[in-house]
Amino acid sequence: MSDPLKDYDPHAFEPFAVTVDLAVFTVREGRLHVLLIRRGQDPYEGSWALPGGFILPRESAEEAARRELAEETGLSEAVVDSLHLEQLRTYSGPDRDPRMRVVSVAYTALVPDLPEPHGGGDAAHAEWVAADGLGELAFDHGQIVADAHDRIGARIEYTCLATTFCPTAFTLGELQQVYETVWGTVLDRPNFRRKVLATPGFVEPVAGASRLTGGRGKPASLYRAGPATALHPPLLRPEGRTA
Amino acid sequence: MSDPLKDYDPHAFEPFAVTVDLAVFTVREGRLHVLLIRRGQDPYEGSWALPGGFILPRESAEEAARRELAEETGLSEAVVDSLHLEQLRTYSGPDRDPRMRVVSVAYTALVPDLPEPHGGGDAAHAEWVAADGLGELAFDHGQIVADAHDRIGARIEYTCLATTFCPTAFTLGELQQVYETVWGTVLDRPNFRRKVLATPGFVEPVAGASRLTGGRGKPASLYRAGPATALHPPLLRPEGRTA
DNA sequence: GCAAAAGTGTTTTTCATACACCCATGT
DNA sequence: ACATGGGTGTATGAAAAACACTTTTGC
């Protein structure tokens, strides 16, 4: 902005459409899944695409992202408002969309597995698709999903975000599986435990609660997400970072 | 994007202007400086603002950022093309600019101190301003500068970006001062040295060259940036992270 | 000689890793 | 009984932090 707006006539330029795209992830059955929509219209008809839509005239991009997320997933406004939404980056290639100039602000969200993406309206055909080995997506959405996966992998090293993949009460084994799934690595259980419990505010024990996870084995005690948001000694993945 | 574009008429919506804003930093005399422009027009007249401008119809946001950077700093196209430009985030509040709806993609660049921002045209009134304790900036540019500072502080922990603040040949003391300036901390010289030299590809020695830095003292040997881009054992700042 | 800045070495402590081992539950 | 997953303890090794010390220059 700044200077060039001095003699600007709002309708002089060819207009840019500004949209949001959502890369919503969950961990299901030990695999990372993305929420996708099967396209029914002309460009890329039949391909998978990310949910998203226009920013309305009086909305910020984040507000638009939350609104679209609620519409696509059928989650209540209250739940969506409390979710952690992270701006990924903005995609602005002049030929992203063959129809017109579309600049899109991409957001990432991490949700627990529980909610099936049912819901009225747009959500009718939204589905969870395994993130590894999905084919060509519409537009540059394949790139967006790849960027989002990288970002999440890096974010869970320094932040407490991994708990947002879990239900309100979860076991440490479940939390560990989130890390293993996102990073595609195997972690040492005793050491993972120690690091997580040694980080103040990461997780807090739920009184005397426990849950049987795999059908067999000792029931694991339950934890909930703590008040901390950053991970002070970071939880680095085994092999070097993705940069 | 995706669905909502099905019946879209390019001129039906009130148009969004899409711009880029640049937060260009340098380290000068042990202080972090930002490149700013004194506004001469109506909104925020007389205030400092970030350089930036419109994305042209056939440009990506990054291309626009490089073009603007060349215009504002007077640096040659070749230099600007080789610079590391990083997309920060997109600012989209509906009332950022009182005149109309402007969505702006912010970029950060790190440059060495050498080049005085002279240059024809727009650069006439671009100046380096110390980043600590600058007053109110125009629009939401104060927020952008703060976000950019945070981001840079985090980036130099894991990447070799800090060398882009230095001239082509630099001493380890100069590199250390970059870290100290950006983080606002003091580092232990022997330990800093060790970490930097232990990271393969971070810096490479320049044959027998040396330079006298403070007027007195032993001349320091010179290094140049190495081929590495990521810092494998990260160079973490003393106190916990900014997150 | 002294101050200032570069560079080297060493010691201490902390932390990550890799295991070995015990506990509780379902079949 | 045994397989399966949860949980505890511990020895080893690498790395970060703290700091003492030497070197080379200008004044």
Coordinates of all heavy atoms in Angstrom, one line a residue, chain C residues 1-3 5-7 9 13 15 17-19 21-23 25-27, chain D residues 1-3 5-7 9-11 13 15 19 21-23 25-27:
Chain C
dG1 P 56.2 -4.4 29.2 OP1 57.5 -4.7 29.8 OP2 55.4 -5.4 28.4 O5' 55.3 -3.6 30.2 C5' 55.7 -2.3 30.7 C4' 54.4 -1.5 30.8 O4' 54.1 -0.9 29.6 C3' 53.2 -2.3 31.2 O3' 52.3 -1.5 32.0 C2' 52.6 -2.6 29.8 C1' 52.9 -1.3 29.0 N9 53.1 -1.5 27.6 C8 53.9 -2.4 27.0 N7 53.9 -2.3 25.7 C5 53.0 -1.3 25.4 C6 52.5 -0.8 24.2 O6 52.8 -1.1 23.0 N1 51.6 0.3 24.4 C2 51.1 0.7 25.6 N2 50.2 1.7 25.6 N3 51.6 0.2 26.8 C4 52.5 -0.8 26.6
dC2 P 51.1 -2.1 32.8 OP1 51.1 -1.4 34.1 OP2 51.2 -3.6 32.8 O5' 49.8 -1.7 32.0 C5' 49.6 -0.3 31.7 C4' 48.4 -0.2 30.7 O4' 49.0 -0.4 29.3 C3' 47.3 -1.2 30.9 O3' 46.1 -0.5 30.7 C2' 47.5 -2.2 29.7 C1' 48.1 -1.3 28.7 N1 48.8 -2.0 27.6 C2 48.6 -1.6 26.3 O2 47.8 -0.7 26.0 N3 49.3 -2.2 25.3 C4 50.1 -3.2 25.6 N4 50.8 -3.8 24.6 C5 50.3 -3.6 26.9 C6 49.7 -3.0 27.9
dA3 P 44.7 -1.0 31.4 OP1 44.4 -0.1 32.5 OP2 44.9 -2.5 31.6 O5' 43.7 -0.8 30.2 C5' 43.7 0.4 29.5 C4' 43.2 0.1 28.1 O4' 44.2 -0.6 27.3 C3' 41.9 -0.7 28.0 O3' 41.0 -0.2 27.1 C2' 42.4 -2.1 27.5 C1' 43.6 -1.6 26.6 N9 44.6 -2.7 26.4 C8 45.2 -3.4 27.4 N7 46.1 -4.3 26.9 C5 46.1 -4.0 25.6 C6 46.8 -4.6 24.5 N6 47.8 -5.5 24.6 N1 46.6 -4.1 23.2 C2 45.6 -3.2 23.1 N3 44.9 -2.5 24.0 C4 45.2 -3.0 25.2
dA5 P 36.8 -3.2 21.7 OP1 36.2 -2.2 20.9 OP2 36.2 -3.7 23.0 O5' 36.9 -4.5 20.7 C5' 37.7 -4.4 19.5 C4' 38.3 -5.7 19.2 O4' 39.3 -6.0 20.2 C3' 37.4 -7.0 19.3 O3' 37.3 -7.5 18.0 C2' 38.1 -7.9 20.3 C1' 39.5 -7.4 20.3 N9 40.2 -7.7 21.5 C8 39.8 -7.5 22.8 N7 40.6 -8.0 23.7 C5 41.6 -8.6 23.0 C6 42.7 -9.4 23.3 N6 43.1 -9.6 24.6 N1 43.5 -9.9 22.3 C2 43.1 -9.7 21.1 N3 42.0 -9.0 20.6 C4 41.3 -8.5 21.6
dA6 P 36.6 -8.9 17.7 OP1 36.0 -8.8 16.4 OP2 35.8 -9.3 18.9 O5' 37.9 -9.9 17.6 C5' 38.9 -9.7 16.6 C4' 39.8 -10.8 16.6 O4' 40.5 -10.9 17.9 C3' 39.2 -12.2 16.3 O3' 40.0 -12.9 15.4 C2' 39.2 -12.9 17.7 C1' 40.4 -12.2 18.4 N9 40.3 -12.1 19.8 C8 39.4 -11.4 20.5 N7 39.5 -11.5 21.8 C5 40.7 -12.2 22.0 C6 41.3 -12.6 23.2 N6 41.0 -12.3 24.4 N1 42.5 -13.4 23.0 C2 42.8 -13.7 21.8 N3 42.3 -13.3 20.6 C4 41.2 -12.6 20.8
dG7 P 39.5 -14.2 14.7 OP1 40.3 -14.4 13.5 OP2 38.1 -14.3 14.8 O5' 40.0 -15.3 15.8 C5' 41.4 -15.6 15.9 C4' 41.7 -16.5 17.1 O4' 41.3 -15.8 18.3 C3' 41.0 -17.8 17.1 O3' 41.9 -18.9 16.9 C2' 40.3 -17.9 18.5 C1' 41.1 -16.8 19.2 N9 40.4 -16.2 20.4 C8 39.3 -15.4 20.4 N7 38.9 -15.1 21.6 C5 39.8 -15.7 22.4 C6 39.9 -15.7 23.9 O6 39.2 -15.2 24.7 N1 41.0 -16.5 24.3 C2 41.9 -17.2 23.5 N2 42.8 -17.9 24.1 N3 41.8 -17.2 22.2 C4 40.8 -16.4 21.7
dG9 P 43.4 -25.2 20.9 OP1 44.7 -25.9 20.5 OP2 42.2 -25.5 20.2 O5' 43.2 -25.4 22.4 C5' 44.0 -24.7 23.4 C4' 43.5 -24.9 24.8 O4' 42.5 -24.0 25.1 C3' 42.9 -26.3 25.1 O3' 43.6 -26.9 26.2 C2' 41.5 -26.1 25.3 C1' 41.4 -24.7 25.8 N9 40.2 -23.9 25.4 C8 39.7 -23.8 24.2 N7 38.6 -23.1 24.1 C5 38.3 -22.8 25.5 C6 37.2 -22.1 26.1 O6 36.3 -21.5 25.5 N1 37.4 -22.0 27.5 C2 38.4 -22.6 28.2 N2 38.3 -22.4 29.5 N3 39.4 -23.2 27.6 C4 39.3 -23.3 26.3
dT13 P 29.3 -28.9 38.4 OP1 29.2 -28.2 39.7 OP2 29.7 -30.4 38.5 O5' 28.0 -28.8 37.6 C5' 27.8 -27.7 36.8 C4' 26.8 -28.0 35.6 O4' 27.5 -28.6 34.5 C3' 25.7 -29.0 36.1 O3' 24.5 -28.5 35.6 C2' 26.1 -30.3 35.3 C1' 26.7 -29.7 34.0 N1 27.5 -30.6 33.3 C2 27.4 -30.6 31.9 O2 26.6 -29.9 31.3 N3 28.2 -31.5 31.2 C4 29.2 -32.3 31.8 O4 29.9 -33.1 31.1 C5 29.3 -32.3 33.2 C7 30.2 -33.2 34.0 C6 28.4 -31.4 33.9
dC15 P 18.6 -29.5 31.6 OP1 17.8 -28.3 31.3 OP2 18.3 -30.4 32.7 O5' 18.6 -30.4 30.3 C5' 19.3 -30.0 29.1 C4' 19.5 -31.1 28.2 O4' 20.6 -31.9 28.6 C3' 18.3 -32.0 28.0 O3' 18.1 -32.2 26.7 C2' 18.8 -33.3 28.7 C1' 20.3 -33.3 28.4 N1 21.1 -34.1 29.4 C2 22.1 -34.9 28.9 O2 22.3 -34.9 27.6 N3 22.9 -35.7 29.7 C4 22.6 -35.6 31.0 N4 23.4 -36.4 31.8 C5 21.6 -34.8 31.6 C6 20.8 -34.1 30.7
dT17 P 17.2 -37.4 21.3 OP1 17.4 -37.0 19.9 OP2 15.9 -37.4 21.9 O5' 17.8 -38.8 21.5 C5' 19.2 -39.0 21.3 C4' 19.7 -40.3 21.9 O4' 19.7 -40.2 23.3 C3' 18.8 -41.5 21.6 O3' 19.6 -42.4 20.8 C2' 18.5 -42.1 22.9 C1' 19.5 -41.5 23.8 N1 19.1 -41.4 25.3 C2 19.8 -42.0 26.2 O2 20.8 -42.7 26.0 N3 19.4 -41.8 27.5 C4 18.4 -41.0 27.9 O4 18.1 -40.8 29.1 C5 17.6 -40.3 26.9 C7 16.5 -39.4 27.2 C6 18.0 -40.5 25.6
dA18 P 18.8 -43.6 20.0 OP1 19.4 -43.7 18.6 OP2 17.4 -43.5 20.2 O5' 19.3 -44.9 20.8 C5' 20.5 -44.9 21.5 C4' 20.5 -46.0 22.6 O4' 20.1 -45.4 23.8 C3' 19.6 -47.1 22.3 O3' 20.3 -48.3 22.6 C2' 18.4 -46.9 23.2 C1' 19.1 -46.3 24.4 N9 18.2 -45.5 25.2 C8 17.2 -44.7 24.8 N7 16.6 -44.1 25.8 C5 17.2 -44.5 26.9 C6 17.0 -44.2 28.3 N6 16.1 -43.4 28.8 N1 17.9 -44.8 29.2 C2 18.8 -45.7 28.7 N3 19.1 -46.0 27.4 C4 18.3 -45.4 26.6
dC19 P 19.9 -49.7 21.7 OP1 21.1 -50.0 20.9 OP2 18.6 -49.4 21.0 O5' 19.7 -50.7 22.8 C5' 18.5 -50.7 23.5 C4' 18.8 -50.7 25.0 O4' 18.4 -49.5 25.6 C3' 18.0 -51.8 25.7 O3' 18.9 -52.8 26.2 C2' 17.3 -51.1 26.9 C1' 17.8 -49.7 26.8 N1 16.7 -48.7 27.0 C2 16.5 -48.2 28.3 O2 17.1 -48.6 29.3 N3 15.5 -47.3 28.5 C4 14.8 -46.9 27.5 N4 13.8 -46.0 27.7 C5 15.0 -47.3 26.1 C6 16.0 -48.2 26.0
dC21 P 17.0 -56.7 32.3 OP1 18.0 -57.2 33.3 OP2 16.6 -57.6 31.2 O5' 15.7 -56.3 33.1 C5' 15.8 -55.3 34.1 C4' 14.5 -54.7 34.4 O4' 14.0 -53.9 33.3 C3' 13.4 -55.7 34.7 O3' 13.1 -55.7 36.1 C2' 12.2 -55.2 33.9 C1' 12.6 -53.8 33.5 N1 12.0 -53.3 32.2 C2 11.1 -52.2 32.3 O2 10.8 -51.7 33.4 N3 10.5 -51.8 31.1 C4 10.8 -52.4 30.0 N4 10.2 -51.9 28.9 C5 11.7 -53.5 29.9 C6 12.3 -53.9 31.0
dC22 P 12.1 -56.8 36.6 OP1 12.7 -57.2 37.9 OP2 11.8 -57.8 35.6 O5' 10.7 -56.0 36.9 C5' 10.7 -55.0 37.9 C4' 9.4 -54.2 37.8 O4' 9.3 -53.7 36.4 C3' 8.1 -55.0 38.1 O3' 7.3 -54.3 39.0 C2' 7.5 -55.2 36.7 C1' 7.9 -53.9 36.0 N1 7.9 -54.0 34.5 C2 7.1 -53.1 33.8 O2 6.4 -52.3 34.3 N3 7.1 -53.2 32.4 C4 7.9 -54.2 31.8 N4 7.8 -54.2 30.5 C5 8.7 -55.0 32.6 C6 8.7 -54.9 33.9
dC23 P 5.9 -54.9 39.4 OP1 5.7 -54.4 40.8 OP2 5.9 -56.3 39.1 O5' 4.9 -54.1 38.4 C5' 4.7 -52.7 38.6 C4' 3.4 -52.3 37.8 O4' 3.7 -52.5 36.4 C3' 2.2 -53.2 38.1 O3' 1.1 -52.3 38.3 C2' 2.1 -54.1 36.9 C1' 2.6 -53.2 35.8 N1 3.2 -53.9 34.7 C2 2.7 -53.7 33.4 O2 1.8 -52.8 33.2 N3 3.2 -54.3 32.3 C4 4.2 -55.2 32.5 N4 4.7 -55.8 31.5 C5 4.8 -55.5 33.8 C6 4.2 -54.8 34.9
dT25 P -6.2 -52.9 35.8 OP1 -6.8 -51.6 35.9 OP2 -6.2 -53.9 37.0 O5' -6.8 -53.7 34.6 C5' -6.9 -53.1 33.4 C4' -6.6 -54.1 32.2 O4' -5.4 -54.7 32.3 C3' -7.6 -55.2 32.1 O3' -8.7 -54.9 31.3 C2' -6.8 -56.4 31.6 C1' -5.4 -55.8 31.4 N1 -4.3 -56.7 31.6 C2 -3.7 -57.3 30.5 O2 -4.1 -57.0 29.4 N3 -2.7 -58.1 30.8 C4 -2.2 -58.5 32.0 O4 -1.3 -59.2 32.2 C5 -2.9 -57.8 33.2 C7 -2.4 -58.2 34.6 C6 -3.9 -57.0 32.9
dG26 P -9.9 -55.9 31.0 OP1 -11.1 -55.1 30.6 OP2 -9.9 -56.8 32.1 O5' -9.4 -56.6 29.7 C5' -9.3 -56.0 28.4 C4' -8.9 -56.9 27.3 O4' -7.7 -57.6 27.6 C3' -10.0 -58.1 27.1 O3' -10.0 -58.3 25.7 C2' -9.4 -59.2 27.8 C1' -7.9 -59.0 27.7 N9 -7.1 -59.4 28.9 C8 -7.3 -59.1 30.2 N7 -6.4 -59.7 31.0 C5 -5.5 -60.3 30.1 C6 -4.4 -61.1 30.5 O6 -3.9 -61.3 31.6 N1 -3.8 -61.6 29.3 C2 -4.3 -61.4 28.0 N2 -3.6 -62.0 27.1 N3 -5.3 -60.7 27.7 C4 -5.9 -60.2 28.8
dT27 P -11.1 -59.3 25.1 OP1 -11.5 -58.8 23.8 OP2 -12.1 -59.6 26.1 O5' -10.2 -60.6 24.9 C5' -9.2 -60.6 23.9 C4' -8.5 -62.0 23.9 O4' -7.7 -62.1 25.1 C3' -9.4 -63.2 23.8 O3' -9.0 -64.0 22.8 C2' -9.3 -63.9 25.2 C1' -7.9 -63.5 25.5 N1 -7.6 -63.5 27.0 C2 -6.5 -64.1 27.5 O2 -5.7 -64.7 26.7 N3 -6.3 -64.1 28.8 C4 -7.1 -63.5 29.8 O4 -6.9 -63.5 31.0 C5 -8.3 -62.8 29.2 C7 -9.3 -62.1 30.1 C6 -8.5 -62.9 27.9
Chain D
dA1 P 0.8 -69.4 34.9 OP1 0.6 -70.7 35.3 OP2 1.3 -68.3 35.7 O5' 1.5 -69.3 33.4 C5' 1.4 -70.4 32.6 C4' 1.2 -70.0 31.2 O4' 0.0 -69.4 31.0 C3' 2.3 -69.0 30.7 O3' 2.6 -69.4 29.3 C2' 1.6 -67.7 30.8 C1' 0.2 -68.1 30.4 N9 -0.9 -67.2 31.1 C8 -0.9 -66.8 32.4 N7 -2.0 -66.0 32.6 C5 -2.6 -65.9 31.4 C6 -3.8 -65.3 31.0 N6 -4.5 -64.6 31.9 N1 -4.2 -65.3 29.7 C2 -3.4 -66.1 28.9 N3 -2.3 -66.7 29.1 C4 -1.9 -66.6 30.4
dC2 P 3.9 -68.9 28.6 OP1 4.3 -70.0 27.8 OP2 4.8 -68.3 29.6 O5' 3.4 -67.7 27.7 C5' 2.3 -67.9 26.8 C4' 1.8 -66.6 26.3 O4' 0.8 -66.0 27.1 C3' 2.9 -65.5 26.2 O3' 2.7 -64.7 25.1 C2' 2.7 -64.7 27.4 C1' 1.1 -64.7 27.3 N1 0.4 -64.2 28.5 C2 -0.8 -63.6 28.4 O2 -1.3 -63.5 27.3 N3 -1.4 -63.1 29.5 C4 -0.8 -63.2 30.7 N4 -1.4 -62.7 31.8 C5 0.5 -63.8 30.9 C6 1.1 -64.3 29.8
dA3 P 3.6 -64.8 23.7 OP1 3.4 -66.1 23.1 OP2 5.0 -64.3 24.1 O5' 2.9 -63.7 22.8 C5' 1.5 -63.8 22.5 C4' 0.8 -62.5 22.7 O4' 0.4 -62.3 24.1 C3' 1.5 -61.3 22.2 O3' 0.7 -60.5 21.4 C2' 1.8 -60.5 23.5 C1' 0.6 -60.9 24.4 N9 0.8 -60.8 25.8 C8 1.9 -61.3 26.5 N7 1.8 -61.0 27.8 C5 0.6 -60.4 27.9 C6 -0.1 -59.8 29.0 N6 0.4 -59.9 30.3 N1 -1.3 -59.2 28.8 C2 -1.7 -59.1 27.6 N3 -1.2 -59.6 26.4 C4 0.0 -60.2 26.7
dG5 P -0.5 -53.2 21.0 OP1 -1.5 -52.8 20.1 OP2 0.9 -53.5 20.5 O5' -0.3 -52.0 22.1 C5' -1.5 -51.5 22.6 C4' -1.3 -51.0 24.0 O4' -0.6 -52.1 24.8 C3' -0.3 -49.8 24.1 O3' -0.9 -48.8 24.8 C2' 0.9 -50.4 24.8 C1' 0.3 -51.5 25.7 N9 1.3 -52.4 26.2 C8 2.2 -53.2 25.4 N7 2.9 -53.9 26.2 C5 2.5 -53.7 27.5 C6 3.0 -54.2 28.7 O6 3.9 -55.0 28.9 N1 2.3 -53.6 29.8 C2 1.2 -52.7 29.7 N2 0.7 -52.3 30.8 N3 0.8 -52.2 28.5 C4 1.5 -52.7 27.5
dG6 P -0.1 -47.5 25.2 OP1 -1.1 -46.3 25.1 OP2 1.2 -47.5 24.6 O5' 0.1 -47.7 26.8 C5' -1.1 -47.8 27.6 C4' -0.7 -47.7 29.1 O4' 0.2 -48.8 29.4 C3' 0.1 -46.4 29.4 O3' -0.4 -45.9 30.7 C2' 1.5 -46.9 29.5 C1' 1.4 -48.3 29.9 N9 2.4 -49.2 29.4 C8 2.7 -49.4 28.1 N7 3.7 -50.3 28.0 C5 4.1 -50.6 29.3 C6 5.2 -51.4 29.7 O6 5.9 -52.1 29.0 N1 5.2 -51.5 31.1 C2 4.4 -50.8 31.9 N2 4.6 -50.9 33.3 N3 3.4 -50.0 31.5 C4 3.3 -49.9 30.2
dG7 P 0.2 -44.6 31.2 OP1 -0.7 -44.0 32.3 OP2 0.7 -43.7 30.1 O5' 1.5 -45.1 32.0 C5' 1.5 -45.6 33.3 C4' 2.8 -45.9 33.8 O4' 3.4 -46.8 32.9 C3' 3.8 -44.8 33.9 O3' 4.0 -44.5 35.3 C2' 5.1 -45.2 33.2 C1' 4.8 -46.7 33.0 N9 5.5 -47.3 31.9 C8 5.2 -47.1 30.6 N7 6.0 -47.7 29.7 C5 6.8 -48.4 30.6 C6 7.9 -49.3 30.3 O6 8.3 -49.7 29.2 N1 8.5 -49.8 31.4 C2 8.1 -49.5 32.7 N2 8.8 -50.1 33.7 N3 7.1 -48.7 33.0 C4 6.6 -48.2 31.9
dG9 P 10.7 -44.3 39.2 OP1 10.6 -44.4 40.6 OP2 10.6 -43.0 38.5 O5' 12.0 -45.0 38.7 C5' 12.2 -46.4 38.9 C4' 13.5 -46.9 38.3 O4' 13.4 -47.0 36.8 C3' 14.7 -46.0 38.6 O3' 15.8 -46.7 39.1 C2' 15.0 -45.3 37.2 C1' 14.5 -46.4 36.2 N9 14.1 -45.9 34.9 C8 13.1 -45.0 34.7 N7 12.9 -44.7 33.5 C5 13.8 -45.5 32.8 C6 14.1 -45.7 31.4 O6 13.5 -45.1 30.5 N1 15.0 -46.7 31.2 C2 15.7 -47.4 32.1 N2 16.6 -48.2 31.7 N3 15.5 -47.2 33.4 C4 14.5 -46.3 33.7
dT10 P 17.1 -46.0 39.6 OP1 17.5 -46.8 40.8 OP2 16.8 -44.6 39.8 O5' 18.1 -46.2 38.4 C5' 18.1 -47.5 37.7 C4' 19.1 -47.4 36.6 O4' 18.4 -47.0 35.3 C3' 20.3 -46.4 36.8 O3' 21.5 -47.0 36.3 C2' 19.9 -45.2 35.9 C1' 19.2 -46.0 34.7 N1 18.4 -45.1 33.9 C2 18.5 -45.3 32.5 O2 19.2 -46.0 32.0 N3 17.6 -44.5 31.8 C4 16.7 -43.5 32.3 O4 16.0 -42.8 31.6 C5 16.7 -43.4 33.8 C7 15.8 -42.5 34.4 C6 17.5 -44.3 34.5
dA11 P 22.8 -46.8 37.0 OP1 23.0 -47.8 38.0 OP2 22.9 -45.4 37.4 O5' 23.9 -47.0 35.8 C5' 23.8 -48.2 35.0 C4' 24.2 -47.9 33.6 O4' 23.1 -47.0 33.0 C3' 25.5 -47.1 33.5 O3' 26.2 -47.6 32.4 C2' 25.0 -45.7 33.2 C1' 23.8 -45.9 32.4 N9 22.8 -44.8 32.4 C8 22.3 -44.1 33.5 N7 21.5 -43.2 33.3 C5 21.3 -43.2 31.9 C6 20.6 -42.5 31.0 N6 19.7 -41.5 31.4 N1 20.7 -42.8 29.7 C2 21.5 -43.7 29.3 N3 22.3 -44.5 30.1 C4 22.2 -44.2 31.4
dG13 P 29.9 -44.5 26.6 OP1 30.5 -45.5 25.7 OP2 30.7 -44.0 27.8 O5' 29.5 -43.3 25.7 C5' 28.4 -43.5 24.8 C4' 27.9 -42.1 24.4 O4' 27.2 -41.5 25.4 C3' 29.1 -41.1 24.0 O3' 28.7 -40.4 22.8 C2' 29.1 -40.2 25.3 C1' 27.6 -40.2 25.7 N9 27.4 -39.8 27.1 C8 28.1 -40.3 28.1 N7 27.7 -39.8 29.3 C5 26.6 -39.0 28.9 C6 25.8 -38.2 29.7 O6 25.8 -38.1 31.0 N1 24.9 -37.5 29.0 C2 24.8 -37.5 27.6 N2 23.8 -36.8 27.0 N3 25.6 -38.3 26.8 C4 26.5 -39.0 27.6
dA15 P 27.6 -33.8 19.6 OP1 27.1 -34.0 18.2 OP2 29.0 -33.7 19.8 O5' 26.9 -32.5 20.2 C5' 25.6 -32.6 20.8 C4' 25.4 -31.6 21.9 O4' 26.0 -32.1 23.1 C3' 26.1 -30.3 21.6 O3' 25.2 -29.2 22.0 C2' 27.3 -30.3 22.5 C1' 26.7 -31.0 23.7 N9 27.7 -31.6 24.6 C8 28.8 -32.4 24.3 N7 29.5 -32.7 25.3 C5 28.8 -32.2 26.4 C6 29.0 -32.2 27.8 N6 30.1 -32.9 28.3 N1 28.1 -31.6 28.6 C2 27.1 -31.0 28.0 N3 26.8 -30.9 26.7 C4 27.7 -31.5 25.9
dC19 P 30.8 -17.9 35.0 OP1 30.6 -17.9 36.5 OP2 30.3 -16.9 34.1 O5' 32.4 -18.1 34.8 C5' 33.0 -19.3 35.0 C4' 34.4 -19.4 34.4 O4' 34.3 -19.9 33.1 C3' 35.1 -18.0 34.3 O3' 36.4 -18.2 34.7 C2' 35.0 -17.7 32.8 C1' 35.2 -19.2 32.3 N1 35.0 -19.3 30.9 C2 35.7 -20.3 30.2 O2 36.5 -21.0 30.8 N3 35.5 -20.5 28.8 C4 34.6 -19.7 28.2 N4 34.4 -19.9 26.9 C5 33.8 -18.7 28.9 C6 34.0 -18.6 30.2
dC21 P 43.8 -18.4 34.6 OP1 44.7 -19.3 35.4 OP2 43.5 -17.0 35.0 O5' 44.3 -18.4 33.1 C5' 44.5 -19.7 32.4 C4' 44.8 -19.4 31.0 O4' 43.6 -18.9 30.3 C3' 45.8 -18.3 30.7 O3' 46.9 -18.9 29.9 C2' 45.1 -17.2 29.9 C1' 44.0 -18.0 29.3 N1 42.8 -17.2 28.8 C2 42.4 -17.2 27.5 O2 43.1 -17.9 26.7 N3 41.4 -16.4 27.1 C4 40.7 -15.7 28.0 N4 39.7 -15.0 27.5 C5 41.1 -15.7 29.4 C6 42.1 -16.4 29.7
dT22 P 48.3 -18.0 29.8 OP1 49.3 -19.0 30.3 OP2 48.1 -16.7 30.5 O5' 48.4 -17.8 28.3 C5' 48.4 -19.0 27.4 C4' 48.1 -18.5 26.0 O4' 46.8 -17.8 25.9 C3' 49.1 -17.5 25.4 O3' 49.6 -17.9 24.2 C2' 48.3 -16.2 25.3 C1' 46.9 -16.7 25.1 N1 45.8 -15.8 25.5 C2 45.0 -15.2 24.5 O2 45.1 -15.5 23.3 N3 44.1 -14.4 24.9 C4 43.8 -14.0 26.2 O4 42.9 -13.2 26.5 C5 44.7 -14.5 27.2 C7 44.5 -14.2 28.7 C6 45.6 -15.4 26.8
dT23 P 50.8 -17.2 23.4 OP1 51.5 -18.2 22.7 OP2 51.4 -16.3 24.4 O5' 50.0 -16.3 22.3 C5' 49.2 -16.9 21.4 C4' 48.6 -15.8 20.5 O4' 47.5 -15.1 21.2 C3' 49.5 -14.8 20.0 O3' 49.4 -14.7 18.6 C2' 49.1 -13.5 20.7 C1' 47.6 -13.8 20.9 N1 47.0 -13.0 22.0 C2 46.0 -12.1 21.7 O2 45.5 -12.0 20.6 N3 45.5 -11.5 22.8 C4 45.9 -11.6 24.1 O4 45.4 -10.9 25.1 C5 47.0 -12.5 24.4 C7 47.6 -12.7 25.7 C6 47.5 -13.1 23.3
dT25 P 49.4 -8.5 14.1 OP1 48.8 -8.7 12.8 OP2 50.8 -8.8 14.3 O5' 49.2 -7.0 14.5 C5' 48.1 -6.3 14.0 C4' 47.5 -5.5 15.1 O4' 47.6 -6.0 16.4 C3' 48.0 -4.1 15.3 O3' 47.6 -3.2 14.3 C2' 47.4 -3.7 16.7 C1' 47.1 -5.1 17.3 N1 47.7 -5.3 18.6 C2 47.1 -4.7 19.7 O2 46.1 -4.1 19.7 N3 47.7 -5.0 20.9 C4 48.9 -5.7 21.1 O4 49.3 -5.9 22.3 C5 49.5 -6.3 20.0 C7 50.7 -7.1 20.1 C6 48.9 -6.0 18.8
dG26 P 48.1 -1.7 14.2 OP1 47.7 -1.1 12.9 OP2 49.6 -1.8 14.5 O5' 47.4 -0.9 15.4 C5' 46.0 -0.6 15.2 C4' 45.6 0.4 16.4 O4' 45.9 -0.3 17.6 C3' 46.3 1.7 16.4 O3' 45.4 2.7 16.8 C2' 47.4 1.5 17.4 C1' 46.8 0.5 18.4 N9 47.8 -0.4 19.0 C8 48.7 -1.2 18.4 N7 49.4 -1.9 19.2 C5 48.9 -1.5 20.4 C6 49.4 -2.0 21.7 O6 50.2 -2.8 22.0 N1 48.6 -1.4 22.7 C2 47.6 -0.5 22.5 N2 47.1 0.0 23.6 N3 47.2 0.0 21.3 C4 47.9 -0.6 20.3
dC27 P 45.8 4.2 16.7 OP1 44.6 5.0 16.4 OP2 47.0 4.3 15.8 O5' 46.3 4.5 18.2 C5' 45.3 4.5 19.2 C4' 45.9 4.7 20.5 O4' 46.8 3.6 20.8 C3' 46.8 5.9 20.6 O3' 46.4 6.8 21.7 C2' 48.2 5.4 20.9 C1' 47.9 4.0 21.5 N1 49.0 3.0 21.3 C2 49.5 2.4 22.4 O2 49.1 2.6 23.6 N3 50.5 1.5 22.2 C4 51.0 1.2 21.0 N4 51.9 0.3 20.8 C5 50.4 1.9 19.9 C6 49.5 2.8 20.1

